[in-house]
């Protein structure tokens, strides 16, 4: 709702966004930003920001889906590990991105917007992670912002943006050959 269309309308399930309650609209969208932000507190407290009533099992399930549970359980204090201060440098960017993804997966929402939260998939984990994204797509519309073509195989549509403009829109099969031929940005 920050920008209103100059012409036409944007709809969600046949309802114009202008006619929707902004709070209700925000509750239907899960968003994982490109740069994760965590507050001083425990991992569990940070995960519960999106779902205050989450149980430990809920948190473990979301972390497993985001492929970060093993790393959390390897920490001496597990979900009770404090983050958000100088300790942030102790963990890899991959850890933070996956924890960011887990936080979004704490709520079941109809729309998930993941902005560069997934890096190129490790070949040994690629298939299971792509299967997890397919599973997410069964219950939510998944909008994935990425620079990596690996995710084409789960996409229904690809919107290729270049320098702020739409370069191409279509199925992965339609867009991929053009992307292959394009000079690197």
């Amino acid at each position: 709702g920050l920008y209103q269309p100059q012409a036409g309308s944007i709809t969600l399930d046949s309802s114009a966004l202008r006619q929707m309650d902004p709070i209700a609209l925000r509750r239907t969208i899960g968003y994982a930003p490109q740069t994760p932000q965590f507050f001083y507190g425990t991992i569990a407290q940070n995960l519960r920001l999106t779902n205050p009533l989450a149980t430990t099992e809920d948190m473990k399930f979301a972390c497993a889906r985001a492929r970060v549970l093993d790393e959390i359980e390897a920490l001496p204090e597990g979900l009770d590990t404090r983050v958000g201060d100088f300790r942030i440098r102790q963990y890899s960017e991959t850890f933070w991105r996956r924890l960011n993804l887990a936080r979004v997966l704490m709520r079941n929402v109809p729309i998930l917007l993941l902005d560069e939260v997934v890096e190129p998939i490790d070949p040994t984990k690629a298939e299971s992670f792509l299967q997890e994204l397919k599973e997410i797509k069964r219950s939510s519309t998944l909008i994935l912002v990425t620079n990596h073509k690996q995710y084409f195989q789960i996409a229904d549509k690809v919107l290729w943006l270049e320098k702020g403009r739409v370069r191409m829109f279509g199925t992965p099969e339609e867009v991929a050959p053009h992307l292959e031929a394009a000079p690197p940005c």
Side-chain angles (χ1 to χ4, degrees), residues 14-89:
S14 301
S15 298
L17 293 190
R18 288 182 181 173
Q19 297 174 344
M20 294 180 77
D21 173 25
I23 294 171
L25 175 61
R26 288 181 193 114
R27 287 185 181 144
T28 65
I29 300 171
Y31 171 59
Q34 185 174 11
T35 305
Q37 297 291 316
F38 291 92
F39 298 98
Y40 179 75
T42 65
I43 290 173
Q45 288 170 329
N46 273 276
L47 290 173
R48 283 193 176 110
L49 288 173
T50 57
N51 184 356
L53 302 176
T55 65
T56 299
E57 289 308 311
D58 294 335
M59 288 185 283
K60 287 183 177 184
F61 181 69
C63 289
R65 290 179 84 186
R67 304 301 188 261
V68 73
L69 182 61
D70 291 342
E71 291 175 75
I72 292 171
E73 289 183 335
L75 298 170
E77 296 180 64
L79 288 167
D80 293 322
T81 301
R82 292 221 168 262
V83 296
D85 57 8
F86 67 91
R87 296 170 219 174
I88 205 162
R89 291 181 218 107

Side-chain angles (χ1 to χ4, degrees), residues 39-159:
F39 298 98
Y40 179 75
T42 65
I43 290 173
Q45 288 170 329
N46 273 276
L47 290 173
R48 283 193 176 110
L49 288 173
T50 57
N51 184 356
L53 302 176
T55 65
T56 299
E57 289 308 311
D58 294 335
M59 288 185 283
K60 287 183 177 184
F61 181 69
C63 289
R65 290 179 84 186
R67 304 301 188 261
V68 73
L69 182 61
D70 291 342
E71 291 175 75
I72 292 171
E73 289 183 335
L75 298 170
E77 296 180 64
L79 288 167
D80 293 322
T81 301
R82 292 221 168 262
V83 296
D85 57 8
F86 67 91
R87 296 170 219 174
I88 205 162
R89 291 181 218 107
Q90 292 176 329
Y91 307 106
S92 70
E93 183 178 344
T94 299
F95 175 83
W96 294 115
R97 286 177 179 249
R98 290 184 182 171
L99 190 58
N100 189 32
L101 177 58
R103 184 168 47 191
V104 171
L105 296 176
M106 291 290 295
R107 286 189 316 132
N108 291 325
V109 291
I111 301 170
L112 277 175
L113 172 55
L114 309 179
D115 185 1
E116 289 284 343
V117 297
V118 285
E119 63 285 330
I121 302 173
D122 173 347
T124 61
K125 299 177 183 176
E127 191 55 39
S128 67
F129 188 66
L130 286 170
Q131 286 302 323
E132 188 60 47
L133 290 175
K134 286 179 187 177
E135 187 64 32
I136 290 168
K137 280 181 54 179
R138 288 186 181 156
S139 60
S140 298
T141 297
L142 180 61
I143 302 169
L144 183 61
V145 179
T146 183
N147 291 314
H148 306 289
K149 293 183 286 185
Q150 299 174 271
Y151 300 103
F152 272 31
Q153 61 184 292
I154 63 163
D156 298 318
K157 296 286 184 180
V158 174
L159 177 64

